């Protein structure tokens, strides 16, 4: 392999050692360097330099979402995060995932607060290629190493492609002549805390399954025909299965642009060729308008495969069973699926579901009550308006208008919400994700989000900080004919706000309430 460094249209350094030295020097000076890695490019900056991190965020169009950090070794990781023996083993293992670690509170320890502004954790990984080892060895700095793409685009892999797509972000490019055959993101994981160590769960829990883990086989407790499963629209993956084994692709992303869709189709072809799967069945989401649904229908019409439509949250439950090698033969299973958005069997948006699985079907004995997302997509971004709409729909206008965290809404906004709800123009949802958004807004932690789950991340962070000084009981909630009524919960949140209860205690009490709903 041969290294060189480019800046603009110029090839600055053509010697391996000089290119590496120049890249290190530019990073020390606060520049953004695009580095070609194993499965794509990283955008790297000095993780201790807030100015450099801010420039990267502005150019990448990623204002708040957490950025991953690469450190030279475990000792450097310990300077910014406590590292348990189990976390040490996960960091140092051959898969080398991004591992979520609890960040130390001391600002003198180095990492810029802009690396993960909404979190009390930070994603840390060790070098996993010779190039990374050589780069970090003499640098003496932790580096932000975030995916080499603009927000919502797939990873750049080719040298010319990277310079064309990342030229407005990176000040320089550290390139090599090894082609990338299979684009692949870094995996993200966390190690279960000590109080969960007695469970039967694997100690390492994957959040994003990609480099180092995919496409490792997942054994099934049963056999079936060759299958292609085409995944969902957001955080998409695809899967091929034959006999008693499934092969799951790496994380692909959200299928919202042509580049990601073409990347998705390449991965389908690669998986089928790699594992010699000629699918007889294609499984797709129940949503009639997903790209995967259209692909499955068109391919089945062309090639004659049998189509199987699978409800989104039922698929989550089945995946959980498969991951833990549990068969449904003879015994039913109760699954609690807490999610943001999925197309329900009744055409509504599901996301807070209690499902009873038996054989090849399921029943839905309980769910969060349906509430309106007033304003559609805008209502998902503006979580303060979502919270106000929830209160209005529950007949709690007095609580809504007296909430100190909603007093910035204008008369026009209140009027729009009322009209939307009264005219029944809003999408109805049972989503637990939207409930987290609403409570985060009511607690005063979030008004508008810039990335998915930002409001929930802030709510979780606030709850963790309150654990040491609060032992709250759950808020009240009701179960009426299989519907979890949320009026008592939201009324209590507003009441505590007006009484001056701090947001962290409210956040913790809400999490305790969700746990109470699940177990009861």
């Amino acid at each position: 392999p041969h290294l060189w460094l480019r800046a603009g249209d110029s090839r600055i350094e053509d010697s391996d050692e000089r290119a590496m030295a120049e890249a290190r020097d530019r990073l020390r000076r606060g520049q953004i360097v695009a580095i070609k890695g194993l499965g794509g490019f990283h955008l790297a900056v000095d993780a201790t330099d807030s100015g450099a991190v801010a420039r990267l965020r502005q150019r990448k169009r990623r204002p708040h979402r957490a950025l991953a950090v690469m450190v030279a070794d475990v000792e450097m990781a310990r300077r910014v995060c406590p590292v348990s023996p189990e976390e040490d083993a996960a960091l140092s293992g051959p898969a080398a995932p991004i591992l979520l670690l609890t960040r130390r509170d001391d600002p003198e320890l180095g990492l810029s607060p802009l690396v993960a502004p909404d979190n009390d954790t930070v994603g840390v990984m060790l070098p996993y290629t010779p190039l990374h080892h050589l780069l970090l060895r003499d640098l003496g700095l932790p580096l932000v190493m975030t995916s080499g793409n603009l927000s919502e685009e797939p990873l750049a892999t080719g040298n010319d492609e990277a310079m064309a797509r990342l030229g407005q972000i990176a000040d320089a490019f550290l390139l090599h002549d090894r082609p990338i055959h299979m684009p692949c993101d870094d995996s993200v994981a966390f190690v279960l805390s000590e109080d969960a160590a007695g469970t039967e769960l694997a100690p390492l829990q994957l959040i994003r399954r990609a480099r180092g883990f995919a496409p490792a086989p997942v054994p099934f407790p049963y056999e079936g025909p060759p299958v292609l499963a085409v995944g969902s629209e957001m955080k998409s993956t695809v899967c091929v299965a034959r006999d008693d084994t499934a092969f799951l692709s790496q994380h692909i992303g959200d299928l919202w642009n042509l580049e990601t869709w073409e990347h998705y189709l390449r991965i389908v072809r690669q998986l089928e060729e790699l594992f010699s799967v000629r699918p007889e069945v294609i499984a797709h989401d129940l949503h009639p308008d997903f790209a995967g649904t259209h692909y499955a229908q068109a391919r089945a019409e062309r090639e004659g495969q049998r189509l199987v439509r699978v409800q989104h949250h039922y698929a989550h439950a089945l995946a959980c069973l498969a991951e833990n090698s549990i068969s449904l033969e003879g015994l039913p299973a109760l699954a609690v699926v807490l999610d943001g958005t999925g197309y329900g069997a009744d055409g509504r948006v599901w996301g807070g579901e209690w499902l009873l699985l038996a054989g090849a079907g399921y029943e839905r004995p309980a769910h969060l009550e349906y509430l309106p997302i007033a304003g559609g997509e805008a209502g998902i971004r503006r979580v303060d308006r979502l919270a106000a709409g929830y209160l209005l729909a529950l007949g709690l206008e007095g609580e809504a208008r007296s909430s100190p965290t909603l007093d910035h809404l204008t008369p026009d906004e209140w009027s729009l919400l009322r009209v939307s709800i009264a005219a029944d123009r809003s999408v109805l949802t049972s989503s637990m994700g939207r409930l987290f958004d609403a409570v985060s807004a009511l607690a005063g932690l979030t008004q508008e989000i810039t990335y998915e789950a930002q409001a929930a991340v802030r709510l979780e962070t606030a709850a963790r900080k309150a654990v040491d000084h609060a032992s709250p009981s759950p808020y009240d909630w009701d179960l009426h004919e299989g519907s979890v009524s949320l009026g008592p919960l939201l009324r209590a949140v507003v009441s505590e706000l007006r009484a001056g209860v701090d947001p962290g205690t409210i956040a913790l009490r809400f999490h305790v309430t969700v746990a109470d709903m699940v177990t009861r």
Side-chain angles (χ1 to χ4, degrees):
H2 175 56
L3 285 177
W4 64 96
L5 189 106
R6 289 190 72 105
D9 295 328
S10 305
R11 193 153 165 155
I12 304 293
E13 291 293 353
D14 215 13
S15 150
D16 293 336
E17 292 184 9
R18 287 200 301 270
M20 187 72 75
E22 177 69 14
R24 287 195 203 100
D25 183 58
R26 286 172 177 262
L27 288 164
R28 289 190 187 102
R29 288 189 276 131
Q31 290 194 11
I32 301 169
V33 179
I35 299 169
K36 188 178 184 182
L38 189 68
F41 278 74
H42 283 115
L43 292 164
V45 295
D46 176 0
T48 69
D49 183 340
S50 290
V53 177
R55 281 193 298 278
L56 174 61
R57 286 194 173 281
Q58 187 270 327
R59 293 183 192 178
K60 187 176 159 68
R61 302 177 201 162
R62 189 169 175 170
H64 300 113
R65 192 176 177 184
L67 302 167
V69 172
M70 182 177 281
V71 295
D73 49 37
V74 175
E75 288 308 310
M76 185 179 283
R78 285 198 174 98
R79 292 179 211 164
V80 294
C81 303
V83 180
S84 70
E86 294 78 13
E87 289 167 337
D88 186 336
L91 279 171
S92 308
I98 296 170
L99 197 68
L100 295 187
L101 300 174
T102 302
R103 188 168 54 189
R104 296 189 191 275
D105 287 335
D106 189 349
E108 300 299 318
L109 291 169
L111 282 190
S112 163
L114 298 182
V115 168
D118 293 325
N119 296 260
D120 57 357
T121 62
V122 63
V124 178
M125 61 179 157
L126 297 189
Y128 57 84
T129 72
L131 174 63
H132 294 136
H133 280 282
L134 291 169
L135 181 69
L136 272 291
R137 184 180 61 190
D138 300 321
L139 187 62
L141 294 169
L143 292 179
V144 165
M145 284 283 216
T146 189
S147 54
N149 59 351
L150 277 172
S151 289
E152 314 304 339
E153 288 186 1
L155 289 172
T157 55
N159 292 344
D160 292 339
E161 174 201 3
M163 286 187 289
R165 286 176 49 199
L166 306 178
Q168 300 302 310
I169 304 176
D171 300 303
F173 291 80
L174 185 61
L175 304 171
H176 59 69
D177 55 4
R178 290 185 66 198
I180 294 172
H181 176 65
M182 174 73 87
C184 195
D185 265 308
D186 295 311
S187 293
V188 183
F190 68 95
V191 173
L192 283 177
S193 59
E194 290 182 7
D195 58 352
T199 70
E200 296 179 5
L201 295 172
L204 188 70
Q205 293 289 305
L206 284 169
I207 295 171
R208 183 171 74 192
R209 189 177 187 269
R211 177 188 52 75
F213 296 94
V218 178
F220 282 164
Y222 40 79
E223 292 193 16
V227 175
L228 166 67
V230 297
S232 188
E233 194 89 335
M234 297 175 66
K235 297 181 285 294
S236 186
T237 58
V238 296
C239 180
V240 295
R242 64 178 197 202
D243 302 324
D244 61 352
T245 306
F247 303 93
L248 195 66
S249 79
Q250 68 271 39
H251 165 84
I252 298 170
D254 301 338
L255 304 181
W256 292 342
N257 57 58
L258 179 61
E259 294 86 357
T260 307
W261 178 243
E262 290 173 340
H263 174 46
Y264 172 96
L265 295 177
R266 282 196 303 272
I267 288 177
V268 171
R269 290 193 295 270
Q270 286 175 328
L271 281 178
E272 290 182 1
E273 291 169 5
L274 187 61
F275 298 109
S276 301
V277 173
R278 295 176 179 269
E280 297 174 10
V281 176
I282 302 179
H284 65 86
D285 195 278
L286 201 61
H287 197 298
D289 249 353
F290 275 0
T293 299
H294 291 301
Y295 170 77
Q297 291 170 342
R299 183 166 173 184
E301 185 175 340
R302 186 172 66 248
E303 299 176 10
Q305 291 94 345
R306 179 164 62 92
L307 288 177
V308 176
R309 301 162 72 229
V310 187
Q311 198 280 323
H312 187 92
H313 302 95
Y314 179 45
H316 277 310
L318 293 175
C320 189
L321 291 172
E323 183 183 18
N324 292 282
S325 299
I326 297 172
S327 170
L328 282 173
E329 292 180 2
L331 289 174
L334 181 63
V336 186
V337 186
L338 310 180
D339 188 21
T341 298
Y343 190 85
D346 59 1
R348 291 174 172 172
V349 178
W350 290 9
E353 313 305 319
W354 281 253
L355 304 179
L356 183 63
L357 282 59
Y362 69 92
E363 297 174 15
R364 187 187 182 214
H367 58 85
L368 295 188
E369 73 172 301
Y370 287 115
L371 289 171
I373 304 176
E377 285 295 317
I380 292 175
R381 291 192 308 273
R382 285 284 306 275
V383 294
D384 53 353
R385 285 171 52 170
L386 175 78
Y390 270 21
L391 292 171
L392 292 178
L394 289 165
L396 302 175
E397 179 156 357
E399 282 81 356
R401 296 308 299 262
S402 65
S403 171
T405 54
L406 299 179
D407 59 8
H408 62 280
L409 294 177
T410 67
D412 284 347
E413 287 177 309
W414 284 111
S415 177
L416 181 67
L417 290 170
R418 281 195 209 90
V419 168
S420 177
I421 292 166
D424 199 21
R425 294 177 188 160
S426 302
V427 174
L428 292 175
T429 183
S430 61
S431 166
M432 181 63 82
R434 300 293 77 78
L435 179 61
F436 268 73
D437 289 347
V439 173
S440 184
L442 287 176
L445 298 169
T446 320
Q447 291 184 9
E448 183 171 6
I449 62 170
T450 61
Y451 65 89
E452 188 197 3
Q454 183 178 13
V457 167
R458 289 181 175 176
L459 195 67
E460 181 184 350
T461 301
R464 265 202 299 265
K465 290 178 179 177
V467 166
D468 292 337
H469 57 81
S471 300
S473 59
Y475 291 119
D476 289 335
W477 56 275
D478 295 325
L479 183 64
H480 180 66
E481 295 183 353
S483 177
V484 177
S485 300
L486 301 175
L489 187 165
L490 295 178
R491 183 187 291 112
V493 168
V494 175
S495 176
E496 291 203 325
L497 277 168
R498 291 204 303 260
V501 177
D502 69 279
T505 300
I506 291 172
L508 179 58
R509 195 170 179 192
F510 170 69
H511 279 78
V512 170
T513 305
V514 172
D516 186 56
M517 288 178 189
V518 170
T519 54
R520 283 173 55 192

